Amino acid sequence: MPSIRRTAAVLAAVLVTAGIAVAAPAQASPPKPPKPDAPDKVVSAYFTDWSVYGRGYFVKDIPADKLNVIQYAFGDAVYDPATGNVGCNVLDPWADYQQVYWGGENSVDGQPDDFGANGNLYGNFNQLKKLKAAHPHLKVEISLGGWTKSKWFSTLASTAELRQKFAAACIDTFIKGNLPTGGWPEDAGGLGVAAGIFDGIDLDWEYPTAVADGNYNVSPADRRNATLLAAEFRKQLDAYGATTGKHYLLTAALPAATSSTRYYELKAFVKHLDWANIMTYDFNVASSPVVAHNTLFTRDPKDPNAKNHTWNTVGTVAYYLANGVPANKIVVGVPFYGQQYLRTGSKNNGLYTPFDNTGLDPNQLVADVAVQPSFHALVEAGYVSEDGRTGGNGYQVGWNKLAGEPYLYSAAASHPNLTTGPETVRTFIAYSSPASIGERTALIEKLGLRGAMAWELSQDSDSGALISALAPILE
């Protein structure tokens, strides 16, 4: 298991190895203090609107005493090429603000909704309103886009007129709280019904200049246009804040490693943000050629992409600092899910060997058939203890000292193969543990970074073991 005291020394070594010098620029001038209404330290985590369907994870289950920012996933960036209409919509009206809580068992305050007299607001949004009332320190942002809903960003950022309309539409829907009507219940929605729930906007454009999950009109100009889009959002949020006496947050989910400067004018883009949430995960996924860690804390020379010294959390932080991003605008991303690999080689417990994932299903939540099993699923299946240190059901816990990451390995794990039927195969599962997340917490504290961001809350164990490993950031 790791020694978290090594983090600062590891960073220094990475900087030297990568030829990065950040000490002088970082000390040239003190960082600007956070704006009023912006937390100076951040533990942020995504809450997905579909959590209420999958695991049955509700707003009431959010550990509000262990974080101070909730990123609600997702809002939908919309453009109609036939009419030129621009929109910024809720993604799931039913879960977001129409679902009536007839009983109190899933409600934040234990009380059912007063149907017909509920202020025209139900669902997750109403529960977030209750949660914020009970925990005044909480901030809630709407995250726009994501991997599957970024398809119109390139178009919407392409001209000054479209940027203005898009930012205005998002502020209208989520900050001013003007929600569509006409659904069920008939009284749900209306002007201003969600006002005060969202304290800001998180831009999750995946990714400028690159085709993600169906992006339209991708262009080399995206890189510059992304900066202009952030500037427009900042301008309009500040203008509206001048009328309400409040500072509204603007953040963004940004890629790790050298992808960050390929997709973004990094320093110029981040200038308009309160902070940047860096997605320091998915370094290796099930489409990779060999078994490897989902996230790496430090560089492992055996990793398939080890030639890129930024292909790990510490290396990415160093790269951001070297490219002019202030330490107090860096929020380090951590995954609450892992990567599963079947039919691995036997060498090195399967790590960095070929694999064959036939039979797994990317849409499954159950640990033995999921491509990306959550920490919750692994604990629930008995594969690992809540502290992440002890294996079970035939799995043993391993630790890769070079990457600073845990893993599970079984030489004979049983899987209900969705293609061929039940079988027993060698299995490797990369995952995040309280110990590996503790390394990130130590890095953040030692370098004076803004904080941490997690994807996503429903994937944590019932006791909140992973978010608890981040909580010291706020102490």
Side-chain angles (χ1 to χ4, degrees), residues 85-406:
N85 289 337
V86 174
C88 191
N89 300 345
V90 295
L91 188 59
D92 183 344
W94 172 252
D96 291 345
Y97 67 95
Q98 294 175 349
Q99 182 183 11
V100 177
Y101 284 54
W102 298 105
E105 64 274 9
N106 293 322
S107 178
V108 167
D109 58 4
Q111 299 298 313
D113 289 333
D114 186 359
F115 181 57
N118 213 58
N120 304 90
L121 192 68
Y122 305 92
N124 291 331
F125 287 6
N126 185 46
Q127 296 302 312
L128 286 170
K129 183 177 181 180
K130 292 182 177 184
L131 190 69
K132 289 182 67 177
H135 301 275
H137 72 286
L138 278 179
K139 303 292 184 183
V140 180
E141 292 186 280
I142 182 67
S143 288
L144 304 176
W147 182 255
T148 62
K149 294 297 177 179
S150 289
K151 62 183 181 181
W152 290 116
F153 267 95
S154 182
T155 300
L156 293 170
S158 62
T159 70
E161 180 182 9
L162 288 172
R163 291 190 292 270
Q164 187 278 327
K165 289 182 177 180
F166 179 41
C170 294
I171 291 171
D172 184 73
T173 300
F174 295 106
I175 305 300
K176 296 180 180 179
N178 298 324
L179 300 180
T181 57
W184 193 94
E186 293 180 355
D187 70 329
L191 294 178
V193 299
I197 293 173
F198 293 101
D199 302 288
I201 292 172
D202 180 63
L203 301 174
D204 195 355
W205 179 356
E206 300 183 20
Y207 296 102
T209 76
V211 176
D213 190 38
N215 290 359
Y216 285 72
N217 300 328
V218 173
S219 164
D222 288 351
R223 190 170 179 268
R224 178 58 183 159
N225 290 339
T227 303
L228 298 175
L229 181 66
E232 183 63 36
F233 268 90
R234 181 74 277 160
K235 175 184 175 182
Q236 291 198 35
L237 286 169
D238 287 349
Y240 184 65
T243 70
T244 62
K246 177 176 179 175
H247 172 76
Y248 292 97
L249 300 174
L250 181 65
T251 64
L254 297 183
T258 51
S259 298
S260 54
T261 49
R262 184 165 74 250
Y263 298 146
Y264 288 93
E265 298 176 332
L266 195 57
K267 182 179 180 180
F269 182 85
V270 173
K271 176 183 177 181
H272 302 290
L273 308 180
D274 287 279
W275 64 80
N277 298 302
I278 308 175
M279 295 181 283
T280 39
Y281 42 78
D282 289 347
F283 287 110
N284 299 292
V285 295
S287 59
S288 303
V290 297
V291 174
H293 294 286
N294 175 36
T295 181
L296 298 89
F297 181 61
T298 46
R299 177 178 175 268
D300 182 350
K302 295 181 180 179
D303 185 88
N305 297 286
K307 289 182 179 180
N308 183 341
H309 286 256
T310 70
W311 201 257
N312 55 80
T313 299
V314 170
T316 291
V317 169
Y319 190 74
Y320 268 70
L321 291 169
N323 280 277
V325 179
N328 73 338
K329 285 196 174 186
I330 293 176
V331 170
V332 177
V334 298
F336 284 2
Y337 63 94
Q339 300 286 346
Q340 181 162 219
Y341 303 91
L342 306 187
R343 304 176 190 89
T344 71
S346 58
K347 184 179 179 181
N348 197 28
N349 287 340
L351 183 60
Y352 303 131
T353 67
F355 66 95
D356 175 6
N357 267 1
T358 301
L360 295 184
D361 185 340
N363 298 311
Q364 288 285 333
L365 301 179
V366 182
D368 54 6
V369 291
V371 176
Q372 293 183 324
S374 68
F375 185 68
H376 177 266
L378 296 175
V379 171
E380 187 176 53
Y383 294 177
V384 68
S385 58
E386 289 223 18
D387 63 8
R389 294 177 178 271
T390 306
N393 282 348
Y395 285 89
Q396 63 185 36
V397 171
W399 182 265
N400 180 350
K401 293 181 179 180
L402 292 173
E405 295 299 325

Side-chain angles (χ1 to χ4, degrees), residues 375 385-389 406 431-439 441 465-466 469:
F375 185 68
S385 58
E386 289 223 18
D387 63 8
R389 294 177 178 271
Y431 71 104
S432 293
S433 68
S436 64
I437 287 179
E439 287 196 313
T441 299
L466 299 186

